[in-house]
Amino acid sequence: MNDRPVFSIGEQHAGRDIFNIARDLNINQNSPAEDVLKIIEAIQHKVGELDIAEKDKKRIVNQIEGAKIELEDQKPDKKAIAESIKKTNEILNEAKTTGETLKDIGVLVGKAAAWLGTTAAKLGWIF
């Protein structure tokens, strides 16, 4: 009998799963905050893959943590979430971020924007 675990889930595999789950979610303004939380967590993971300064990553994580706290609340403040995503975008622009990972983040932000509705105009996401 084989004593090794049947599943070996490393950080990289788990990260792909988080992104794939979030990417495949159909989000609209009536989606539950829990689904949007999955998207925000996937953004957080993707930021970890970026080739930017650790200080910038920490600043982004702080913004994303604010959005996560709101999404865990019974009545999340969509304006506060939009502001966190907007600040994340500003940091990414300052860090002159480019590449495939940024495109992945953009897809996720688009889903968050669908949930935020009219508040999405505050995001200012630029590619």
Side-chain angles (χ1 to χ4, degrees), residues 61-119:
V61 166
N62 287 339
Q63 293 302 322
I64 292 174
E65 285 299 321
K68 287 170 65 175
I69 289 167
E70 282 300 326
L71 286 162
E72 290 167 351
D73 194 58
Q74 285 207 288
K75 292 186 180 180
D77 181 347
K78 288 187 175 186
K79 288 181 181 178
I81 295 165
E83 191 61 31
S84 293
I85 294 172
K86 180 181 175 188
K87 293 283 188 191
T88 295
N89 184 46
E90 289 171 4
I91 297 164
L92 290 171
N93 285 334
E94 289 170 16
K96 297 182 176 33
T97 311
T98 59
E100 199 62 34
T101 300
L102 185 62
K103 289 180 187 174
D104 291 342
I105 292 171
V107 168
L108 297 170
V109 169
K111 288 181 175 285
W115 184 75
L116 291 168
T118 56
T119 312

Side-chain angles (χ1 to χ4, degrees), residues 5-125:
V6 177
F7 300 104
S8 177
I9 302 176
E11 184 176 323
Q12 201 142 24
H13 178 71
R16 278 195 307 271
D17 287 349
I18 290 168
F19 175 71
N20 290 337
I21 289 167
R23 185 194 62 209
D24 294 341
L25 285 171
N26 290 322
I27 300 294
N28 61 50
Q29 287 181 312
N30 298 319
S31 295
E34 294 83 24
D35 285 354
V36 182
L37 181 59
K38 291 174 188 171
I39 290 168
I40 297 299
E41 288 172 342
I43 291 171
Q44 186 174 27
H45 182 80
K46 282 291 181 184
V47 166
E49 295 177 2
L50 291 172
D51 185 22
I52 59 175
E54 285 302 312
K55 180 180 177 182
D56 290 330
K57 285 183 183 181
K58 286 178 184 177
R59 290 173 57 208
I60 291 170
V61 166
N62 287 339
Q63 293 302 322
I64 292 174
E65 285 299 321
K68 287 170 65 175
I69 289 167
E70 282 300 326
L71 286 162
E72 290 167 351
D73 194 58
Q74 285 207 288
K75 292 186 180 180
D77 181 347
K78 288 187 175 186
K79 288 181 181 178
I81 295 165
E83 191 61 31
S84 293
I85 294 172
K86 180 181 175 188
K87 293 283 188 191
T88 295
N89 184 46
E90 289 171 4
I91 297 164
L92 290 171
N93 285 334
E94 289 170 16
K96 297 182 176 33
T97 311
T98 59
E100 199 62 34
T101 300
L102 185 62
K103 289 180 187 174
D104 291 342
I105 292 171
V107 168
L108 297 170
V109 169
K111 288 181 175 285
W115 184 75
L116 291 168
T118 56
T119 312
K122 294 185 67 132
L123 298 183
W125 198 260

